[in-house]
Amino acid sequence: TAQAAESKEIKQKYNGLTVNANLLMADGKSYQDGMVLLTHGTLTHAGRSTYANLQQLLADRGISSLAINLSLGLDDRHGEYDCKTPHRHRHEDAVGEIGFWLNWLKKQGANDITLMGHSRGGNQTAWFSVEQDDPAVKRVVLIAPATWNYDAEKADYKKKYGQSIEPILAKAEKLVAEGKGDTLIKNINFIYCKDTSATANAVVSYYKNEPRMDTPTLLKDAKKPTLVVIGSADTVVTDLEEKMNGVESEQVTVTVVDGAGHFFRDFFAEDLADNAAEFIKGE
């Protein structure tokens, strides 16, 4: 299609690493006609069908997008994160990378930018939008953004792996306090990865008591018009709708797509794209 012909990979240097992103320009559109900056979820990548499909559906609706691959500490990363690879990334690293790609878009002439993120990427996008009030960012779309609760996180780890995260976190925090945050802690279970290794900095980042990892908490201070899209059948972020009920902000709109799961597959992707496009175009 005309849209697919406009799809291309962009590569840049960031903090000594090559980072990449997928640019999909809608037919006949330029950077000045508005852009979406899309951030993926945990340990995945921009080329996953969820995001590639969403980019195409947005292009079909006249909206261009840049879907970024978070480096996760790796050079020119593509594909799903390999659990055998030591984890040297931190949750908050994504906030810097979102800012880097936002600046890249601005250098191309974009000044009407929608930040969009899914799952953990939704939280990281919200974090950026609340703490970096960039005038080029006009609105934010969060798709099934992550919620977080310290006690629930600890309980989930114990249920998933049959052990407590607390001694691992204590060891990591001690290393960080000693200035040894880059030390690898081996043979641990980390995020979705069994028997892997992660730096003390990574362990502390993903498992410490950090309320900003809860998207509804962030959105109480929303700076931009923000749309939160929730799937009613989401089995990953199960408490999002309930938590969003406690967010009182004139900036925040919540839409529930009935029957959609966490990844908005099949025809639910069309519903997601419709909701996002209407919000972006102010319809």
Side-chain angles (χ1 to χ4, degrees), residues 97-119:
E97 292 193 29
I98 290 168
F100 172 79
W101 284 110
L102 176 66
N103 285 332
W104 183 86
L105 281 174
K106 286 158 64 177
K107 286 173 188 169
Q108 314 313 308
N111 58 10
D112 181 346
I113 297 168
T114 301
L115 296 183
M116 185 180 289
H118 173 245
S119 199

Side-chain angles (χ1 to χ4, degrees), residues 166-241:
E166 291 181 84
I168 301 168
L169 180 58
K171 178 181 180 180
E173 287 176 329
K174 184 171 184 291
L175 285 165
V176 171
E178 293 169 352
K180 301 173 182 173
D182 290 334
T183 303
L184 277 178
I185 302 173
K186 297 182 178 178
N187 308 119
I188 61 169
N189 301 312
F190 183 77
I191 312 180
Y192 299 146
C193 294
K194 291 183 178 180
D195 191 23
T196 187
S197 56
T199 63
N201 281 332
V203 172
V204 171
S205 171
Y206 284 91
Y207 289 103
K208 69 183 174 184
N209 191 350
E210 173 53 91
R212 287 177 295 181
M213 290 174 73
D214 183 58
T215 306
T217 296
L218 283 172
L219 290 181
K220 291 173 182 177
D221 297 315
K223 303 283 196 300
K224 306 287 185 180
T226 301
L227 174 67
V228 179
V229 186
I230 301 172
S232 72
D234 191 335
T235 57
V236 178
V237 186
T238 55
D239 59 350
L240 180 58
E241 188 171 1

Side-chain angles (χ1 to χ4, degrees), residues 17-19 70-77 81-82 85-86 88:
L17 296 173
T18 297
V19 288
L70 296 173
S71 71
L72 302 180
L74 303 178
D75 191 61
D76 201 16
R77 190 181 74 85
Y81 196 96
D82 185 345
T85 303
R88 302 179 187 275

